[in-house]
Amino acid sequence: MDNIEEHPRVPIDLNESGETEELLKHRVGMCFLSGADFSRFCHEYAYGEGFELFIKSSDLLKEFKAKGVCRRGVGEKEAKPDMTKRMRFKCKRGGQAKTEGCNVTGCQMFVYGVLRGGKYEITRCELAHNHELNPSCSNLMVNYRSIDQGTFERAIINDNAGISINRNFSAQVLERGGFDNMTFNNRDLRNAINLDRRMSRCLGDAKALEDYFKKQHELNNEFYSCLKVGEDGTLLNAFWSDARSRDSYKYFGDVITFDTTFSVNRFRMPFAPFIGINHHGSSIIFGAALITHEDTETFVWVFEQFLKCMGTKPKGICTDQCRAIGRAVEVVFPGVPHRFCLWHLLQNASKNLGTNANWKDIDRLIRTTVRDMVDPEEFDEAWCIIMDKYGLREAGWMKDQYETRSQWAPVYCRGTS
């Protein structure tokens, strides 16, 4: 199952939201031509009533899964409502509050739609809320804030003329007749201008990085680098490895780790190093990459450059549980054992089960099972006991980890590559 999140900016037709509530209340079973129509209808209803929706869960159609579409995809790989076979919308105030002062109220409002016979059908819905609604504030809710093209272009002209972002925003407020008529706030304008600045500078930075790599290669011809540049000249991906790193791989490159969660630069490009362990037990870097998209195509390119640079495949690779990385490993390193990072797995346990009322006990039992079990049968039994005791067999995450346990559980990995 792939959970997806829609783009936060939802186009709303203010002239069509008047009768939406009555349609939902009296026509469970109403149909829509597409997932996009169903999504738009639900958001128009939420806009008119004064609250926000989000996609709690969904299933992608098989043909889009096969193309590598996923929740974290970008561009053609980004999941869209039309690519789903079911969607469950929930009020953003649903769930359990994790921090004091949080506006989450446990609201049970939801709308559930399923693709049947080529059309989307509303099969269930609950429209009651346990909190106040604010239709007068809908235009400044996160889901519905937006900057139109004309306003954006004028803001960029002002920015190029040296006008500060605060003055830029104040001018927009005066032009629209006050804050009540705004469809975006100061932070939205600041983010949009900063994005335009980054994109305009990216061309120069790509050329600067290329020149730097050439200079390093002139100093030492064992320095390896490769850049992938878009049609407009912007930097997409970069990989490099110096002479010392390449030499270290010959001695300590049996098992490598690849981590995209390390850091990002000011262009929001993840820094992805290839790391190993030397004979002193210290971490050493074999190479590194800057990437723009965390999808299968990008990771295949990075792994191919690593293989071309080093000349031989590693005997084992350890990564997080990203599916795109897993597919890329199968393409570039077929037959190489692929293990999941245990630290990332335990972090994901907190993210997926942390709202459970018995989380502290569950966390303690998971860590005990992972670290103390020495026999695979004991591990399987202990893991199943946790799922049964706390009703987690249907939760999804625990079951998914159980099915892939041979790739991360120490009891299954000891004595193997």
Side-chain angles (χ1 to χ4, degrees):
M1 180 182 295
D2 288 303
N3 292 333
I4 70 168
E5 297 175 0
E6 272 190 291
H7 194 282
R9 302 292 182 249
V10 181
I12 298 296
D13 187 344
L14 301 181
N15 298 318
E16 296 185 359
S17 57
E19 300 179 358
T20 311
E21 180 177 4
E22 292 301 316
L23 289 171
L24 275 171
K25 282 183 176 178
H26 296 103
R27 292 190 61 186
V28 169
M30 67 185 302
C31 297
F32 302 86
L33 294 177
S34 67
D37 289 340
F38 169 60
S39 174
R40 188 180 304 110
F41 179 84
C42 292
H43 281 296
E44 286 176 354
Y45 166 70
Y47 184 94
E49 291 296 300
F51 69 97
E52 294 177 278
L53 288 171
F54 75 102
I55 296 181
K56 174 64 176 177
S57 61
S58 65
D59 268 349
L60 285 171
L61 293 167
K62 291 183 179 179
E63 57 264 36
F64 294 106
K65 286 184 181 180
K67 294 178 181 178
V69 174
C70 64
R71 176 176 60 85
R72 299 172 68 182
V74 178
E76 295 181 354
K77 302 296 179 66
E78 179 185 0
K80 305 288 197 314
D82 279 345
M83 302 175 181
T84 64
K85 58 184 177 183
R86 69 163 190 85
M87 285 187 287
R88 180 185 179 90
F89 285 96
K90 285 203 68 175
C91 174
K92 272 195 173 181
R93 292 199 177 186
Q96 296 180 354
K98 296 183 179 180
T99 59
E100 187 175 350
C102 179
N103 65 356
V104 174
T105 63
C107 182
Q108 298 298 311
M109 183 274 170
F110 75 92
V111 182
Y112 187 80
V114 178
L115 184 64
R116 290 178 178 173
K119 294 184 178 181
Y120 246 89
E121 178 183 345
I122 296 179
T123 58
R124 300 195 306 275
C125 67
E126 172 58 59
L127 302 184
H129 296 267
N130 65 354
H131 56 88
E132 292 185 3
L133 304 179
N134 300 290
S136 62
C137 298
S138 293
N139 60 316
L140 286 178
M141 290 181 179
V142 175
N143 274 24
Y144 313 120
R145 296 202 304 262
S146 63
I147 303 176
D148 63 84
Q149 186 63 30
T151 299
F152 174 74
E153 291 175 355
R154 289 198 300 276
I156 296 302
I157 292 173
N158 291 340
D159 182 64
N160 292 335
I163 299 174
S164 70
I165 294 178
N166 287 337
R167 289 187 177 183
N168 212 332
F169 179 73
S170 297
Q172 300 292 342
V173 174
L174 289 174
E175 182 179 327
R176 292 169 182 253
F179 286 98
D180 291 342
N181 299 320
M182 296 296 291
T183 58
F184 58 91
N185 58 25
N186 188 297
R187 178 176 293 181
D188 294 328
L189 185 63
R190 185 176 299 275
N191 289 340
I193 291 175
N194 286 338
L195 177 62
D196 182 79
R197 289 174 180 174
R198 291 196 298 269
M199 293 304 294
S200 63
R201 293 172 183 170
C202 200
L203 282 169
D205 284 355
K207 182 65 168 61
L209 185 60
E210 182 180 8
D211 291 342
Y212 174 79
F213 283 163
K214 286 181 178 179
K215 187 176 295 184
Q216 293 302 309
H217 185 73
E218 290 172 0
L219 294 174
N220 189 327
N221 59 11
E222 288 299 312
F223 182 88
Y224 180 93
S225 65
C226 186
L227 298 180
K228 185 176 182 181
V229 181
E231 294 180 357
D232 57 354
T234 57
L235 176 65
L236 298 180
N237 306 313
F239 173 85
W240 68 95
S241 178
D242 61 22
R244 177 176 294 181
S245 296
R246 298 179 72 181
D247 195 54
S248 296
Y249 181 79
K250 297 176 182 178
Y251 299 99
F252 310 114
D254 290 349
V255 178
I256 64 173
T257 64
F258 178 71
D259 185 8
T260 61
T261 64
F262 183 82
S263 182
V264 295
N265 65 2
R266 63 194 179 97
F267 296 126
R268 291 303 191 191
M269 297 177 70
F271 174 68
F274 290 87
I275 300 173
I277 303 294
N278 65 15
H279 56 301
H280 296 297
S282 301
S283 297
I284 50 176
I285 296 180
F286 298 134
L290 287 173
I291 58 178
T292 51
H293 297 159
E294 295 184 66
D295 55 21
T296 302
E297 181 181 351
T298 298
F299 292 130
V300 166
W301 182 89
V302 172
F303 291 162
E304 285 177 343
Q305 293 306 317
F306 179 83
L307 184 58
K308 185 178 179 181
C309 171
M310 301 303 176
T312 58
K313 296 187 295 185
K315 295 180 180 178
I317 183 169
C318 180
T319 72
D320 62 20
Q321 292 178 292
C322 174
R323 294 181 180 178
I325 294 179
R327 288 190 288 266
V329 170
E330 293 176 358
V331 172
V332 184
F333 302 133
V336 173
H338 180 202
R339 306 299 185 216
F340 296 145
C341 173
L342 187 57
W343 184 86
H344 282 113
L345 182 133
L346 294 176
Q347 293 296 308
N348 289 334
S350 176
K351 293 178 183 177
N352 287 274
L353 305 175
T355 58
N356 191 295
N358 300 302
W359 164 241
K360 290 185 178 180
D361 293 332
I362 295 172
D363 182 44
R364 176 176 53 80
L365 290 173
I366 287 177
R367 292 176 183 273
T368 300
T369 300
V370 169
R371 292 169 176 168
D372 294 351
M373 298 300 160
V374 296
D375 182 78
E377 292 183 0
E378 290 180 352
F379 175 89
D380 292 353
E381 182 180 359
W383 194 268
C384 290
I385 288 174
I386 298 173
M387 289 194 291
D388 294 335
K389 182 177 181 180
Y390 297 102
L392 299 175
R393 278 193 179 271
E394 303 302 324
W397 188 86
M398 288 287 288
K399 183 179 179 182
D400 291 342
Q401 307 319 304
Y402 182 74
E403 292 176 351
T404 61
R405 62 193 183 281
S406 62
Q407 288 186 271
W408 60 265
V411 70
Y412 280 91
C413 300
R414 291 191 184 103
T416 62
S417 298

